[in-house]
Each structure stands twice: as structure tokens, then as C-alpha cells.
């Protein structure tokens, strides 16, 4: 049990460290915000020229910079009340097909002599039509001893990484199938992925898992581009610093380490004063695993969107063709409508999460079912 008195004493020992961190980060935030407004005075040609020497500047402004005269895009539809917002959302989503997928997993139990795990993926398909009912589906897969033991090492019988990879692959497979099934649909369908489309976390994984993650992530971008079905990666709490890296490289040839304590959302929030406002589209150009995305390494875009007046903006990632085809505004309106219906979070993603979620009591239920199965098989 946590002792509040001891915790308070431990925090007091770190008080000076916390104060120094606050002063330092506030100073850097103020400096970068000043630079951000200076940056927005520069023409796009100058920005492109200064960033040209760096192959991976974090972010590159798209043509929306000139179109909107800066880094922000105002949402032109103010709502007088929530009922007004819901009426607008209903109009936007009418007869439009959306799809969202999410997953959950049960890790192997050390108390069981047989290594076994469960991966469950749920998806939600909504046509927003009285003629075509929505669909909720679940796919459950068991990872048995052979697969788990083969994925391990001398130090560990099985890797948590392999189970998470299996879940990710199933989610991506469902999104790819959605793109194939609805490639000729109108109005423009939209798929949602809960998280980043860039598998930056895979940089630190063992080679086998790294390659599998890359194959799935790049495959999704290819299928989306081939069938022209937009996929939005929704990052509710982003810690990305791509725009900060761009600013640092614009003002300094060698970007300082100072911005590493900040996040893009710290800087861009003041540019999005009203609900529904977003930044312009940026080309994602982050150093790291993006280099290994093949022909898709410069085909991913992102922006930030204000979905709440009490929380920082969210990050939205998408295949860059969506901007190039002039369809980004339409996709962002669909996202805004989903957020309204979901009371602050995309309804499609929220529903997919509820479908896929494995509750704590499901672990006990699984253990009982597994024991019963093994006994029936005389194992």
C-alpha cells in the first residue's frame, strides 16, 4: 500500500528538480512559440529551401500553407449548442460508411504449465443508413505453445512482443480488407485506426518483429493508396515533436536538444482557438524507421485537430494522397462528426474498443475454459 506520508517526503526531496524543470521548459516553450510566429511570416519557398538540406526535418508544410496563409485552418461552422452540432454531424455521416478496428489480448499466465495467449480483434462497420444496419464482429485467436516458444529466446520462453505483433497484424488485415471491399463506394468511406500509422516503437524491437511490423504498416498505406480509401490514425495524446524539429532546423542548422522536453501540441494549441480548428497538413519526415517505408517513406501526412476546449489537440495521421486529391477537408469533417457523436472521442473507435475489450474477469473465464478443454483432451 502506498504511504502518503513517505510519498510526500520523497516528493519534497525532488522539489528543486521539479522547479528547475518547470522554469527551463517554460522558457523553451516561450522561445519556440516566438519562433513559430516568426516562421509563419516566411513564404513557403523560403521554408522549403531552408529545409531542403536536411533529408528528415521532422515535418514539411504542404501547399495548404499558402492556401490558408499560415499553419492553421479554421472550422467555418460554429455551433450554438450541442443539438446544433449533432444535427450537423448527422447530415455529414448520412449514408457514409465508416469502419474502425481495435484489439485486446490476454498474456500467458505463469501459473499455467502450458504457454497460451489470446488475441481478440473487434471491428465496427457503420453505414449510417436506415437501409443497411451496422455490424459488430469479433475474431479471437489462440496462440499456442509452438508459436509462443518459437518466438522466444534463452532468457524468456515467449515474447510479449510477438503477442502484440499478432494483434497489430490482425487489426491491419481487417483495415486492408475494408479498403478492398469498399473501393468503389460513394460517398467516400473512411477507416479509423487507434494510434499512429508510423510504427516508431518498432525501432527498438528484435529484427524479426521489426520487419513484421514494417510489412503490415507499409502494406496498409499501399492498399489505401491503391483503392483510394482513406485511413485515419487517431492519436489522442500525442508526444510527437515533428513540428518542433522542423522549427529548430529552420532557425538552426544543428537543432538543439532543448525541444525534447516539449511536444508539438504545446506549441500548436494556441493556433487552434476554436473547436474543430486544425493545422494545415504536413508531410511526415521523421528520422528513424520511416527510412525503411520504401516508396511510402514520403507518403504520410499529419495534422492536429481541436476536439476539446479543455484538452490539447489530437494528432491525425493519414496517407498523403488524401491531401493531394483534395479530399482531406471531407475526411476531417467526417472525423469531426464522429467526435460529436462520440461526445469527445470518435464514436467508431470507441465502439470498436468496447467490442474488442477483454475485461479482467475474462482472464478467469479463459483459464476455466482452457482447463476444461485440456481435461477433455486428456492433456
Amino acid at each position: 500500500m502506498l504511504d502518503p506520508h513517505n510519498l510526500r517526503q520523497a516528493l519534497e526531496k525532488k522539489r528543486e528538480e521539479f522547479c528547475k524543470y518547470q522554469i527551463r521548459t517554460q522558457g523553451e516553450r516561450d522561445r519556440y512559440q516566438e519562433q513559430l510566429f516568426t516562421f509563419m511570416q516566411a513564404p513557403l519557398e523560403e521554408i522549403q529551401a531552408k529545409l531542403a538540406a536536411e533529408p528528415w526535418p521532422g515535418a514539411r508544410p504542404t501547399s495548404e500553407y499558402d492556401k490558408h496563409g499560415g499553419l492553421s485552418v479554421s472550422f467555418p461552422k460554429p455551433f450554438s449548442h450541442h443539438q446544433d452540432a449533432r444535427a450537423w454531424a448527422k447530415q455529414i455521416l448520412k449514408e457514409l460508411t465508416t469502419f474502425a478496428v481495435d484489439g485486446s489480448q490476454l498474456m500467458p499466465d505463469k501459473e499455467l504449465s502450458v504457454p497460451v495467449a489470446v488475441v481478440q480483434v473487434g471491428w465496427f462497420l457503420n453505414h449510417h443508413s436506415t437501409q443497411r444496419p451496422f455490424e459488430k464482429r469479433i475474431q479471437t485467436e489462440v496462440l499456442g505453445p509452438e508459436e509462443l516458444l518459437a518466438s522466444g529466446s534463452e532468457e524468456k520462453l515467449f515474447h510479449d512482443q510477438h503477442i502484440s505483433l499478432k494483434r497489430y497484424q490482425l487489426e491491419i488485415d481487417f483495415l486492408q480488407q475494408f479498403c478492398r471491399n469498399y473501393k468503389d463506394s460513394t460517398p467516400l468511406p473512411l477507416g479509423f485506426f487507434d494510434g499512429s500509422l508510423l510504427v516508431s516503437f518498432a525501432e527498438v524491437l528484435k529484427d524479426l518483429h521489426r520487419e513484421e511490423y514494417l510489412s503490415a504498416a507499409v502494406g496498409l498505406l499501399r492498399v489505401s493508396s491503391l483503392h483510394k480509401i482513406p485511413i485515419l490514425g487517431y492519436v489522442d495524446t500525442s508526444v510527437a515533436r515533428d513540428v518542433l524539429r522542423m522549427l529548430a532546423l529552420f532557425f538552426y542548422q544543428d537543432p538543439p536538444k532543448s525541444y525534447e522536453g516539449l511536444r508539438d501540441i504545446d506549441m500548436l494549441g494556441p493556433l487552434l482557438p476554436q473547436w474543430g480548428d486544425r493545422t494545415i497538413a504536413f508531410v511526415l519526415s521523421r528520422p528513424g524507421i520511416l527510412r525503411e517505408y520504401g516508396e511510402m517513406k514520403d507518403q504520410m501526412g499529419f495534422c492536429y485537430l481541436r476536439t476539446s476546449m479543455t484538452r490539447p489537440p489530437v494528432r491525425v495521421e493519414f496517407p498523403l494522397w488524401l491531401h493531394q486529391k483534395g479530399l482531406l477537408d471531407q475526411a476531417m469533417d467526417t472525423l469531426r462528426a464522429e467526435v460529436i457523436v462520440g461526445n469527445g472521442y470518435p464514436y467508431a473507435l470507441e465502439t470498436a474498443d468496447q467490442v474488442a475489450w477483454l475485461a479482467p474477469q475474462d482472464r478467469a473465464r479463459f483459464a476455466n475454459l482452457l482447463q476444461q478443454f485440456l481435461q477433455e483432451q486428456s492433456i
Side-chain angles (χ1 to χ4, degrees):
M1 183 178 70
L2 184 65
D3 187 316
H5 177 71
N6 285 338
L7 176 61
R8 178 73 187 200
Q9 288 183 325
L11 288 171
E12 286 290 346
K13 293 178 181 179
K14 296 290 183 179
R15 190 174 78 84
E16 184 176 353
E17 181 179 338
F18 290 143
C19 291
K20 288 181 179 178
Y21 176 80
Q22 180 184 9
I23 293 172
R24 183 175 68 252
T25 54
Q26 184 60 52
E28 291 301 322
R29 184 181 294 110
D30 292 342
R31 183 163 67 91
Y32 273 100
Q33 282 184 336
E34 289 179 7
Q35 291 177 340
L36 182 65
F37 287 103
T38 302
F39 174 91
M40 289 190 293
Q41 306 305 312
L44 183 59
E45 294 77 11
E46 180 185 346
I47 295 172
Q48 292 172 334
K50 283 196 173 183
L51 297 180
E54 171 57 52
W56 304 100
R60 299 181 189 274
T62 64
S63 58
E64 285 196 326
Y65 180 84
D66 277 347
K67 178 181 178 181
H68 296 284
L71 296 180
S72 59
V73 182
S74 298
F75 179 54
K77 178 70 176 176
F79 302 123
S80 55
H81 45 69
H82 191 66
Q83 185 177 358
D84 188 21
R86 292 186 70 86
W88 176 84
K90 183 178 179 180
Q91 180 183 8
I92 292 294
L93 295 173
K94 185 178 180 181
E95 304 296 331
L96 189 151
T97 299
T98 57
F99 179 84
V101 62
D102 204 351
S104 189
Q105 59 206 46
L106 293 176
M107 308 304 288
D109 191 336
K110 295 179 181 179
E111 296 183 1
L112 296 176
S113 59
V114 179
V116 59
V118 175
V119 172
Q120 180 167 285
V121 172
W123 53 261
F124 176 54
L125 180 67
N126 193 349
H127 302 291
H128 299 96
S129 171
T130 57
Q131 306 301 318
R132 305 169 70 189
F134 63 79
E135 301 176 33
K136 297 179 183 179
R137 298 283 180 86
I138 291 175
Q139 180 166 322
T140 304
E141 292 202 10
V142 172
L143 282 62
E146 184 174 339
E147 181 174 359
L148 290 174
L149 293 175
S151 71
S153 65
E154 295 180 359
E155 293 78 20
K156 193 173 184 181
L157 286 178
F158 43 79
H159 276 293
D160 294 353
Q161 292 176 7
H162 182 78
I163 300 167
S164 297
L165 169 63
K166 187 71 173 181
R167 166 184 164 177
Y168 179 80
Q169 288 174 322
L170 285 173
E171 292 175 1
I172 297 301
D173 285 348
F174 279 122
L175 281 167
Q176 290 185 356
Q177 192 59 49
F178 166 71
C179 291
R180 297 186 186 101
N181 291 344
Y182 290 88
K183 58 184 178 181
D184 298 320
S185 299
T186 54
L188 186 70
L190 187 66
F192 290 97
F193 179 73
D194 190 8
S196 174
L197 299 181
L198 179 68
V199 288
S200 54
F201 58 87
E203 293 181 9
V204 299
L205 300 183
K206 54 189 292 190
D207 291 342
L208 174 62
H209 295 135
R210 176 192 179 96
E211 293 303 318
E212 294 286 347
Y213 272 111
L214 270 170
S215 177
V218 175
L220 177 61
L221 292 174
R222 286 173 178 157
V223 170
S224 170
S225 178
L226 175 64
H227 298 302
K228 294 297 179 282
I229 299 296
I231 301 294
L232 299 185
Y234 188 87
V235 186
D236 187 46
T237 305
S238 173
V239 295
R241 298 187 295 268
D242 301 312
V243 175
L244 279 163
R245 177 175 172 82
M246 178 191 71
L247 284 175
L249 283 165
F250 181 80
F251 289 100
Y252 315 100
Q253 287 187 341
D254 184 21
K257 295 289 186 180
S258 57
Y259 72 82
E260 293 183 356
L262 304 176
R263 304 171 297 174
D264 285 351
I265 54 177
D266 296 326
M267 313 304 302
L268 298 173
L271 298 182
L272 311 175
Q274 301 297 325
W275 188 95
D277 291 351
R278 68 170 175 91
T279 67
I280 63 167
F282 294 93
V283 179
L284 181 61
S285 188
R286 184 188 303 175
I289 202 169
L290 190 58
R291 296 186 180 101
E292 302 174 50
Y293 268 56
E295 79 279 10
M296 293 293 163
K297 64 184 178 183
D298 57 355
Q299 294 300 310
M300 197 183 310
F302 72 93
C303 67
Y304 290 90
L305 173 69
R306 172 73 70 185
T307 60
S308 169
M309 299 308 298
T310 58
R311 301 187 67 238
V314 301
R315 180 180 172 103
V316 185
E317 297 179 356
F318 47 87
L320 196 59
W321 67 261
L322 192 61
H323 155 68
Q324 295 165 342
K325 293 290 185 180
L327 296 172
L328 183 58
D329 281 332
Q330 182 178 344
M332 296 304 291
D333 273 350
T334 302
L335 174 56
R336 292 183 182 102
E338 284 280 345
V339 169
I340 290 172
V341 176
N343 293 317
Y345 195 84
Y347 180 74
L349 279 174
E350 184 180 44
T351 305
D353 174 71
Q354 293 171 353
V355 172
W357 187 52
L358 289 167
Q361 58 266 30
D362 288 324
R363 172 170 290 280
R365 188 177 295 117
F366 167 65
N368 291 335
L369 286 170
L370 176 64
Q371 183 178 7
Q372 180 182 348
F373 171 78
L374 296 177
Q375 289 174 346
E376 292 173 353
Q377 304 301 317
S378 300
I379 299 175

